[in-house]
Amino acid sequence: MRALLTPLFLLAVSATAQGGAAPFTLLETGQGFTRLQDAVTAAGDRDATIVIAPGTWRECAIQGAGRLTFRAARAGTAVFDDVTCEGKAALVLRGRGASVDGLVFRDMNVHDGNGAGIRLEKGDLHVSNAMFLDSQEGILGGADAGERVTVDRSTFAGLGQCDQTLDCAHSIYLGPIGEATVTRSRFERGRGGHYLKSRAARVTVTDNSFDDTGGHKTNYMIDLPNGATGLVARNTFVQGRDKENWSAFIVVAAEARSNSSAGLRVEGNTAALAPGITRSPAFVADLSHQQLAVGANKLGPGVRAFEQR
């Protein structure tokens, strides 16, 4: 059914919502807007919530101030499709903070290979009940050591690339922020790069599913290139056949040791190779040469518990 939708149909859906009502509503005032950017501008530097009606929206917005919540009126029914601002993302965020709840982002592709649903340039970010589909990147950004990013109950599918540009894109790629938390989320069908790449000083990655059986030219499930402390626990990992790099599931400090990794706990996870695969990757590969706390993990045949490089 997705392939039968024409651009004219999508534009028609974008023009109406719930009987012709304005699709973007500023909750605090009840004011409706036909363009998402107009709603963001009207919110100004306040704490505000923009409620987004069901529909497929060829819209994008740049947040330059305030602390905004972008919330679907019904989770999973507000879809942002194939439109980016500044050649970056559907939502470019550089205010005091932002939350995204229940939105769907799909088909985000730009010239530099980093087309994302969300581009975080400033402020904390909380994402819940969201979907990021068939794009170059799901969530990208974060550069301040004081920032926190939290992702909960969200899906990342058909994301990443390493063959469109010199630098890879990933399902989630977070810069050197203070803390990254990813919980109860699903990663699948990667199209290159890593599923979760984070330069945060501290991470919490718990109760997620990383299913690489449908992946294509993928790399690590979790890459902590600068090292990190924190917890990786109760996740399920399945490594697929079509890998660009199958040497490890989780890699610590592959690029730098700018963050301490001492005491990073990796425990209570399940990791296996997809049926029919014969190889011997490490579950955790460490380049920090610090004392990690790799505890009991349930590993399938061929998966080695640990290696130091």
Side-chain angles (χ1 to χ4, degrees):
M1 182 64 71
R2 173 79 172 87
L4 297 177
L5 300 182
T6 66
L8 288 177
F9 175 83
L10 294 175
L11 288 172
V13 172
S14 297
T16 61
Q18 296 182 337
F24 310 109
T25 302
L26 200 56
L27 182 64
E28 289 73 15
T29 64
Q31 187 178 7
F33 301 87
T34 58
R35 295 181 64 247
L36 178 61
Q37 185 63 62
D38 292 341
V40 170
T41 301
D45 195 28
R46 294 176 289 172
D47 290 8
T49 296
I50 298 170
V51 180
I52 301 166
T56 299
W57 308 111
R58 298 181 66 82
E59 293 273 342
C60 65
I62 301 166
Q63 175 202 10
R67 188 178 301 275
L68 299 184
T69 295
F70 299 85
R71 190 177 76 200
R74 294 201 308 271
T77 66
V79 181
F80 286 89
D81 183 83
D82 191 32
V83 172
T84 62
C85 284
E86 298 183 335
K88 296 176 180 177
L91 296 179
V92 180
L93 307 176
R94 43 179 180 256
R96 290 186 286 109
S99 295
V100 174
D101 184 8
L103 301 182
V104 179
F105 303 89
R106 70 185 182 200
D107 295 333
M108 302 296 171
N109 298 280
V110 301
H111 180 71
D112 73 359
N114 286 308
I118 298 174
R119 179 75 166 262
L120 177 65
E121 297 186 348
K122 183 180 178 182
D124 293 346
L125 173 65
H126 180 84
V127 177
S128 58
N129 305 306
M131 299 182 73
F132 300 83
L133 308 174
D134 303 318
S135 302
Q136 290 165 328
E137 209 130 24
I139 301 172
L140 169 64
D144 190 308
E147 292 171 344
R148 296 183 178 183
V149 173
T150 301
V151 177
D152 184 47
R153 293 187 183 276
S154 294
T155 295
F156 299 81
L159 305 169
Q161 64 83 16
C162 281
D163 53 9
Q164 299 173 32
T165 56
L166 292 176
D167 295 323
C168 293
H170 316 280
S171 297
I172 297 179
Y173 184 12
L174 301 176
I177 61 174
E179 186 169 353
T181 300
V182 181
T183 55
R184 299 181 292 182
S185 294
R186 182 172 179 82
F187 296 80
E188 62 186 13
R189 286 196 300 112
R191 290 295 175 261
H194 310 301
Y195 284 93
L196 171 58
K197 181 170 184 174
S198 169
R199 299 183 188 275
R202 181 173 179 82
V203 298
T204 301
V205 185
T206 57
D207 304 295
N208 302 287
S209 169
F210 294 83
D211 181 1
D212 188 42
T213 54
H216 176 65
K217 290 187 175 180
T218 54
N219 288 282
Y220 308 138
M221 308 288 195
I222 299 175
D223 182 28
L224 307 175
N226 294 34
T229 57
L231 175 67
V232 179
R234 302 183 304 278
N235 303 286
T236 299
F237 302 86
V238 179
Q239 189 183 92
R241 182 177 302 278
D242 188 3
K243 304 290 292 181
E244 187 172 87
N245 187 337
W246 55 260
S247 63
F249 288 72
I250 301 168
V251 179
V252 180
E255 299 179 23
R257 301 176 187 176
S258 51
N259 298 327
S260 172
S261 299
L264 173 67
R265 293 164 54 203
V266 183
E267 61 192 29
N269 301 283
T270 299
L273 304 178
I277 296 176
T278 302
R279 60 171 71 122
S280 186
F283 180 54
V284 177
D286 173 51
L287 291 85
S288 74
H289 294 259
Q290 294 184 297
Q291 189 64 46
L292 309 187
V294 179
N297 297 283
K298 185 178 180 179
L299 306 179
V303 182
R304 296 176 291 115
F306 181 80
E307 73 175 26
Q308 193 168 73
R309 299 177 181 174

